[in-house]
């Protein structure tokens, strides 16, 4: 039996895995886990199926004459050595782009050693799944609080009033809010006599559990939130409490909010002015309240302004950094805002993309322009791509154009565990060990946990595969001129010595360890709880570090040392938002996404237990729209957008707002040349053939994946 932290989503559940030899017999929720107390979802329960999936890659693949062949690790690295350094030599570092996908955030080796490789590679063309996800929140937090990683999370277990916008945590299990068993925690709010309000164009499972649901028009959250801010000022309900001396810019916010009256936003948002006033009053009057916005508020045209306004509301109601409000977690390891020296104040746009001149945010550039960077000739043109646990051919906008662009590359490497929609285009595929074959610690996610915890998982099973951190160091050796056989141990010692130096520690303190264990041990030692890895090894079900703590002003790393409530790099986008005020809905249909409990973006559809049953890749249409458009439940429809068209089955349902249709992402497993038998038998259609790569949040470059104009007709 092994106590394992599930690395599949942000909830970090503790699981109990039992084995028969090296076969996984059963996966259950670990009742003794200090954070998840036995909670498990269908994905966690299929960790065994994932480990034993015959299609999961267990050897590197190299494409020879258009066909993938299994090769030894030495041959795979020799191939990369033969092709990558000459390309960099001839065309420069920026000719190699990176695309780093979501599972990297759940993978200790890739997190800690990926950055070593990316830095050695030295390219400015770093693309990630962040610009189809949460980058607006980094942007707003960076300018508000000084660090893009200082993101307040709702103090779920103590709050009395929770306003959720654009999130469906009952299905997603929470995001930028690490909270195993969200359902139990939300019910706890109601048991304590509190209230949950959901703002979402769909009546989701979370909306059904909530006390109140408002079916907003997609893309208009910033208007709603601004109107709530307006009401707070208008009715003299702004009370910063102990934050007063720590906040700059309140008057500027009052002025900016003046034109966003509830009456002015009611038309565009579809929410009545009186309702908006009541939402603001109830938020202000609650003893402890938190506003929480997630991907429905970030992957839209005003993602950054909406993300900013979420925390403006938290601040103006005195709920920021107060128990039961929105608080800053204090993670045990690796949290930049709790380290010494403090990070430099946040800044974006230190460089810009070549073709469109879009600014970097946190060292990343918008994935919406990756195709153009590949297809547009000239100095700095991208000619090679390395994907690290990413599937951009299903996950990013105008996937057809991107796929065409990837086919033009001179060289492509995928670090991936499947031969799928994206990795099939690579020249070399380097697989990593399964979740049960690698150690785990959630360096990234504990920074957003609703309770401070630390939980270490050693590898449960042995493996012949190199760990991905070793692969990262071999790649580092190749791009730094040390060749394919560089001394990995020496490189690792060097990385550890650097990490120790930055943390002001003697590297010898962790000398008996290597790899991620050594780095994590150093990070824990340098962290705020004076822990070591040995302490965590002695506590297989985790260490509880208590409820969230007040951190203002210590957490603030702005130049002023204060919360900058009206930062210019954000407020400069307010005039664009104000232009939405005059616009009346023009009757066009808009497309949004959705998630399912048994999905994990694009990549777990090869597991029978997660795809059996009805086809989930349908377009949901409101009955009124269906009647008007001649669509019938179970019939086929063609959905068109500027970018492309797909055919999907129709699901007529009143859970969706009239004028809005919804299709889940992560489907479309129909390209040739993949090795995913189960997914190929349940292909669905790729909704990112419809999303438009030219549509982005103006500030952060995050793609608009919600609120895409579409036309729909019977097939
Ligand atoms: N229309 C629309 N599009 C969306 C979204 C949406 O809501 N609507 N959501 C967006 C969001 S939030 C995200 S995060 C992105 C996700 O976008 P991506 O990160 O690009 O895609 P994933 O589906 O997470 O694919 C992960 C890849 O990693 C591989 N993998 C899994 N485990 C490992 C491992 O341990 N090691 C390695 N090396 N590889 C591994 C899988 O095989 C798969 O190829 O999708 C985005 N796309
Ligand atoms: N089961 C499962 N869990 C997952 C994932 C998965 O694919 N499947 N993916 C993981 C990842 S990578 C992430 S980032 C998280 C995301 O976690 P969440 O943000 O909770 O994700 P969603 O369930 O897509 O919820 C977004 C909600 O926003 C709504 N929405 C769409 N447009 C708008 C809008 O304009 N305004 C408002 N207010 N709402 C809108 C949608 O209807 C949807 O209900 O989930 C993670 N967890
Ligand atoms: S909720 Fe997330 S962490 Fe928990 S078992 Fe499911 S996939 Fe794993
Ligand atoms: Mo995501």
């Amino acid at each position: 039996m092994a106590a394992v932290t599930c690395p599949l989503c942000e909830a970090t559940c503790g699981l109990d895995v039992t084995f028969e030899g090296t076969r996984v017999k059963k996966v259950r929720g670990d009742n003794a886990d200090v954070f998840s107390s036995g909670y498990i979802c269908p994905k966690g329960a299929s960790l065994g199926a994932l480990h034993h999936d015959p299609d999961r890659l267990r050897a590197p693949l190299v494409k020879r004459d258009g066909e993938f062949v299994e090769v030894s690790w030495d041959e795979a690295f020799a191939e990369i050595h033969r092709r990558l350094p000459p390309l960099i030599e001839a065309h420069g570092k920026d000719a190699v782009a990176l695309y780093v996908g979501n599972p990297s955030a759940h993978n200790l080796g890739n997190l800690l050693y990926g950055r070593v490789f990316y830095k050695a590679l030295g390219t400015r063309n770093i693309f990630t799944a962040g610009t189809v996800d949460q980058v607006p929140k980094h942007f707003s937090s960076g300018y508000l609080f000084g660090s893009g990683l200082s993101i307040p999370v709702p103090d779920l277990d103590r709050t009395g009033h929770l306003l959720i916008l654009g999130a469906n945590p009952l299905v997603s299990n929470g995001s930028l809010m690490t909270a195993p068993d969200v359902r139990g925690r939300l019910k706890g709010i109601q048991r304590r006599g509190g209230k949950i309000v959901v703002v979402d164009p769909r009546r989701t499972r979370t909306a059904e559990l909530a006390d109140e649901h408002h079916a907003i028009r997609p893309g208009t959250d910033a208007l709603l939130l601004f109107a709530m801010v307006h009401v707070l000022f208008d009715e003299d309900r702004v009370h910063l409490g102990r934050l007063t001396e720590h906040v700059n810019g309140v008057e500027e916010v009052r002025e900016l909010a003046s034109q966003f009256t509830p009456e002015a936003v009611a038309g565009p948002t579809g929410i009545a002015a009186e309702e908006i006033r009541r939402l603001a009053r109830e938020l202000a009057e609650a003893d402890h309240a938190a506003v929480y916005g997630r991907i429905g508020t970030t992957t839209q045209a005003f993602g950054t302004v909406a993300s900013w306004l979420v925390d403006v509301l938290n601040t103006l109601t005195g709920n920021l950094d107060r128990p039961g409000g929105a608080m800053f977690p204090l993670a045990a390891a690796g949290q930049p805002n709790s380290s010494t020296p403090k990070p430099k104040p946040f800044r974006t746009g230190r460089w810009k993309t070549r073709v469109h001149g879009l600014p970097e945010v946190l060292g990343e550039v918008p994935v919406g322009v990756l195709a153009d960077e590949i297809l547009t000739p000239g100095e700095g043109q991208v000619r090679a791509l390395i994907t690290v646990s990413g599937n951009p051919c299903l996950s990013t906008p105008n996937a057809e154009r991107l796929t065409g662009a990837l086919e033009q590359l001179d060289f492509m490497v995928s670090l991936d565990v499947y031969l799928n929609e994206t990795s099939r285009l690579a020249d070399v595929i380097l697989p990593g060990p399964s979740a049960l074959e690698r150690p785990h610690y959630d360096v990234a996610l504990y920074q957003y946990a609703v309770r401070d915890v630390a939980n270490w998982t050693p590898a449960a099973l042995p493996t012949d595969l190199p760990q991905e951190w070793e692969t990262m160091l071999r790649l580092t050796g190749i791009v730094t001129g040390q060749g394919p056989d560089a001394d990995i141990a020496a490189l690792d010692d060097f990385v550890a010595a650097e990490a120790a130096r930055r943390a002001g520690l003697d590297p010898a303190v962790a000398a008996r360890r290597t790899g991620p264990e050594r780095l994590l041990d150093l990070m824990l030692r340098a962290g705020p709880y004076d822990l070591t890895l040995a302490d965590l090894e002695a506590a297989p079900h985790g260490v509880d570090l208590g409820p969230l703590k007040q951190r203002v002003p210590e957490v603030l790393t702005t130049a002023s040392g204060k919360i900058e409530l009206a930062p210019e790099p954000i407020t400069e986008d307010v005039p664009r938002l104000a232009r939405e005020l005059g616009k009346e809905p023009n009757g066009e249909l808009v497309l949004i996404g959705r998630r399912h409990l048994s999905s994990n973006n694009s990549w777990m559809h090869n597991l029978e237990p997660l795809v059996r049953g009805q086809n989930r890749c349908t377009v949901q249409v409101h009955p009124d729209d269906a009647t008007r458009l001649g669509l019938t439940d179970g019939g086929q429809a063609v959905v068109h957008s500027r970018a492309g068209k797909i055919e999907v089955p129709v699901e007529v349902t009143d859970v969706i707002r009239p004028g809005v249709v919804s299709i889940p992402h992560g489907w479309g497993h129909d390209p040739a040349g993949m090795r995913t038998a189960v997914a190929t038998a349940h292909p669905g259609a790729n909704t990112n053939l419809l999303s438009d790569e030219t549509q982005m949040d103006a500030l952060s470059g995050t793609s608009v994946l919600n609120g895409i104009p579409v036309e729909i007709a019977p097939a």
Side-chain angles (χ1 to χ4, degrees), residues 25-42:
K25 219 170 92 191
K26 190 147 184 68
V27 183
R28 275 177 299 225
D30 176 3
N31 293 322
D33 186 274
V34 296
F35 198 18
S36 62
S37 313
Y39 181 80
I40 185 171
C41 85

Side-chain angles (χ1 to χ4, degrees), residues 483-494:
D485 308 310
D487 182 348
I488 297 302
L491 274 172
D492 185 34
D493 286 343
F494 177 78

